[in-house]
Amino acid sequence: MKSKITIPKASVILIVPEAIFLLFIAFKIFPKDVTLGLSFIINTVLTFEIIRRNVSKENLSISLNSISIFILLFFIVAPVLQIADYMEGSRMVNNLPYNYEIAIYANLQISLFILTIILAYFYIPVRIPPEQFEKYSDRMKPLLLIISIFIAIVFAKNVINSILKLYVDEDQSVLASLILKKSIFMLPVAAFALYKSHNRKLSLIIIIIGLIILFLKNPISERRNAIGPLYMAIVFFFFTFLYKTNFKSFIFIFILFFFLFPLSSLITNSYLPIYDRIENAGSFISEGINSDYFTNYFNTLHYDAWSNISASIEYVSHKGFSNGEQLIGGLFFFIPRIIWPGKPIGTGHLIANDFLIPQYNLWLSNISCPIISEGYINFGIPGIILFAIALALFIKRMDYWIIDQDPLRKIFGIYFSFWLFYFMRGDFMSSFAYLCGAYIGIIIIPKTINKILTTIWT
């Protein structure tokens, strides 16, 4: 009698990558300081506890995978590579002098955040309202298609000028720009979701809508962290097998952010013509990969999140807590400064302008401010706990949108899952504003149009 071959459970398979991470930390940090290394190991174990719990449960949560991979990437791999060779006082990527005690405190804040996420998500019940599938008018899809084409035609000149960097419309307010780029330009995404939900295969109309989205939300004139969640949402919405299980979505996101993105930078950062970069992509990658490649890749301001937690700790020690002022400024981002002259600036800009630039000669103000630091600057340690609980409970609600029968709620739920990469890195004001803009464009405006259509033709 032949014995059955048993396939290990996903949670057991995770032992391998977890062990690799632990060995990586031990090799890089233990020779420098065992206590510091242990703080990174604790955060790694806590992060893999989130992943293990997530892949073991039936309910889908791309969001938990996104948060976990962000933590591994920005709070473990990047800082370990960055500080492995630091001496006390060495300048970090944000020009802040490295301080051993602050590094430990930063990791303790991360530990508190991860632990709170685990307890809040897995142990605090959330009332989920019954699913209410909205019936869309037969005229809804063609109307959204026409609107999408109309938007692309009307704003073609603006988009092309933005791509070619010919000029910037200085008369356009920040709020008007937000409404246009983050809401109106997201309407084709709603059209895509509605057409794709009724057509399993690729059709000409879906291709047209896809080209409109690529034109309006192109990677040349839009920031990568702003359009990344959008394209990831479209890919996952189109190829549903990618998130059939939490383990599948974890594997895909892990490979994407840990391997494909770093390798793609070899091509995108080259000074050669784009045709040569594409044609010789294989040689670029094979010649560019060396022992120092990943160290150099993660030792840039793109991975400043951990060092900015340290900066927020020092900022508070000099300036004190904001006592909710930064949070209020972020929640009411839409109020123009002409009406609210004292409106707070984004927390990343605040730390840079008030602290890093004047004291440590940082050369730019547009830096990240992780959600952990947002909580700390607002209310101290209780703020980290408060922000983590609020985030975990909101994620728990949004997870149900991914399995919703409503295509608009589904694609927005997936978009939210990848938007968390932007949100976790921060700052809160800009990331929250972008999420609200997407919500208006994908959910509010299309559903308002549908209600008008159903009212007229019923």
Side-chain angles (χ1 to χ4, degrees):
M1 183 177 178
K2 294 183 178 180
S3 60
K4 293 183 179 180
I5 299 176
T6 58
I7 300 175
K9 292 184 178 180
S11 58
V12 176
I13 298 175
L14 291 172
I15 294 175
V16 175
E18 183 176 9
I20 292 173
F21 273 90
L22 297 178
L23 289 173
F24 163 72
I25 295 169
F27 176 76
K28 285 289 187 179
I29 302 297
F30 274 20
K32 181 181 183 65
D33 187 273
V34 174
T35 304
L36 181 62
L38 287 175
S39 68
F40 278 109
I41 283 178
I42 289 171
N43 289 341
T44 301
V45 171
L46 287 174
T47 304
F48 270 94
E49 179 62 19
I50 295 179
I51 299 170
R52 190 171 289 103
R53 285 170 176 261
N54 192 36
V55 300
S56 298
K57 68 184 182 69
E58 293 183 3
N59 295 336
L60 292 173
S61 181
I62 303 174
S63 295
L64 284 181
N65 284 333
S66 293
I67 287 180
S68 301
I69 292 171
F70 176 90
I71 293 172
L72 292 175
L73 196 60
F74 285 82
F75 292 159
I76 294 172
V77 173
V80 165
L81 288 173
Q82 289 168 11
I83 71 177
D85 299 321
Y86 283 166
M87 301 297 291
E88 189 74 11
S90 298
R91 293 297 180 100
M92 298 193 288
V93 292
N94 62 354
N95 250 29
L96 180 74
Y98 170 73
N99 181 285
Y100 166 76
E101 293 181 355
I102 291 178
I104 295 291
Y105 190 29
N107 278 351
L108 288 175
Q109 289 190 2
I110 295 170
S111 299
L112 177 63
F113 179 82
I114 300 172
L115 184 59
T116 306
I117 288 285
I118 293 173
L119 296 175
Y121 184 91
F122 291 101
Y123 295 102
I124 298 179
V126 173
R127 180 181 175 275
I128 305 299
E131 184 175 340
Q132 295 179 349
F133 178 71
E134 181 172 347
K135 184 177 180 182
Y136 291 100
S137 170
D138 295 335
R139 297 172 176 84
M140 181 67 173
K141 289 193 299 180
L143 180 58
L144 276 183
L145 176 61
I146 293 171
I147 292 175
S148 299
I149 296 173
F150 178 78
I151 292 172
I153 294 173
V154 170
F155 296 103
K157 183 178 179 181
N158 300 58
V159 175
I160 293 172
N161 285 334
S162 181
I163 293 174
L164 300 177
K165 303 185 186 303
L166 295 179
Y167 77 93
V168 177
D169 188 356
E170 296 180 353
D171 295 329
Q172 191 178 67
S173 67
V174 175
L175 182 59
S177 177
L178 177 66
I179 293 174
L180 178 64
K181 291 185 177 181
K182 310 307 175 187
S183 294
I184 302 302
F185 283 8
M186 294 294 277
L187 280 171
V189 178
F192 166 81
L194 289 176
Y195 272 101
K196 180 60 183 70
S197 64
H198 291 87
N199 298 276
R200 293 186 177 182
K201 297 182 179 180
L202 191 66
S203 66
L204 178 60
I205 293 179
I206 294 177
I207 293 174
I208 292 173
I209 297 173
L211 292 174
I212 292 174
I213 294 173
L214 182 62
F215 175 67
L216 296 175
K217 308 291 292 184
N218 64 83
I220 299 176
S221 62
E222 290 277 345
R223 295 174 62 183
R224 286 182 298 173
N225 56 8
I227 63 172
L230 169 61
Y231 287 115
M232 291 297 294
I234 290 174
V235 169
F236 266 58
F237 190 88
F238 196 92
F239 301 104
T240 56
F241 68 87
L242 292 173
Y243 64 96
K244 282 294 183 182
T245 65
N246 288 319
F247 185 69
K248 285 184 177 180
S249 70
F250 169 77
I251 293 297
F252 180 82
I253 301 171
F254 185 89
I255 293 174
L256 182 70
F257 284 95
F258 272 88
F259 297 104
L260 298 185
F261 276 12
L263 293 178
S264 67
S265 69
L266 284 172
I267 300 175
T268 58
N269 292 337
S270 173
Y271 293 101
L272 292 177
I274 184 66
Y275 177 80
D276 291 339
R277 282 181 264 168
I278 295 174
E279 185 179 28
N280 302 305
S283 61
F284 273 116
I285 293 174
S286 61
E287 294 173 9
I289 293 295
N290 53 52
S291 58
D292 296 326
Y293 175 72
F294 282 96
T295 300
N296 295 332
Y297 176 79
F298 287 110
N299 216 329
T300 66
L301 272 172
H302 293 298
Y303 293 92
D304 64 350
W306 185 88
S307 62
N308 285 337
I309 293 179
S310 298
S312 70
I313 294 171
E314 287 219 35
Y315 175 87
V316 166
S317 68
H318 287 78
K319 307 287 185 177
F321 302 113
S322 76
N323 297 316
E325 183 179 352
Q326 289 304 120
L327 175 60
I328 293 173
L331 292 175
F332 296 96
F333 68 89
F334 51 86
I335 300 179
R337 294 191 183 274
I338 193 172
I339 298 176
W340 185 4
K343 178 181 174 181
I345 61 176
T347 310
H349 287 276
L350 179 70
I351 294 175
N353 292 329
D354 288 6
F355 181 59
L356 291 176
I357 291 176
Q359 293 203 31
Y360 299 111
N361 298 317
L362 181 64
W363 54 93
L364 81 167
S365 62
N366 185 24
I367 65 172
S368 68
C369 183
I371 188 65
I372 296 172
S373 297
E374 293 279 1
Y376 183 69
I377 286 178
N378 275 282
F379 307 113
I381 293 299
I384 297 176
I385 298 173
L386 176 65
F387 274 50
I389 292 175
L391 178 61
L393 297 184
F394 193 68
I395 286 173
K396 205 167 183 177
R397 275 183 166 270
M398 292 302 298
D399 284 344
Y400 283 86
W401 282 33
I402 296 177
I403 59 175
D404 202 300
Q405 294 301 311
D406 186 329
L408 300 187
R409 284 161 61 100
K410 180 188 290 288
I411 197 167
F412 183 81
I414 300 174
Y415 173 87
F416 168 84
S417 300
F418 292 109
W419 165 86
L420 285 170
F421 271 93
Y422 184 26
F423 181 72
M424 287 287 292
R425 185 171 183 262
D427 60 18
F428 174 75
M429 181 179 288
S430 59
S431 58
F432 182 67
Y434 287 177
L435 180 68
C436 290
Y439 182 76
I440 292 171
I442 298 175
I443 301 292
I444 298 297
I445 296 178
K447 286 186 176 292
T448 301
I449 293 174
N450 185 58
K451 287 181 179 179
I452 295 173
L453 290 176
T454 53
T455 300
I456 293 174
W457 276 282
T458 53

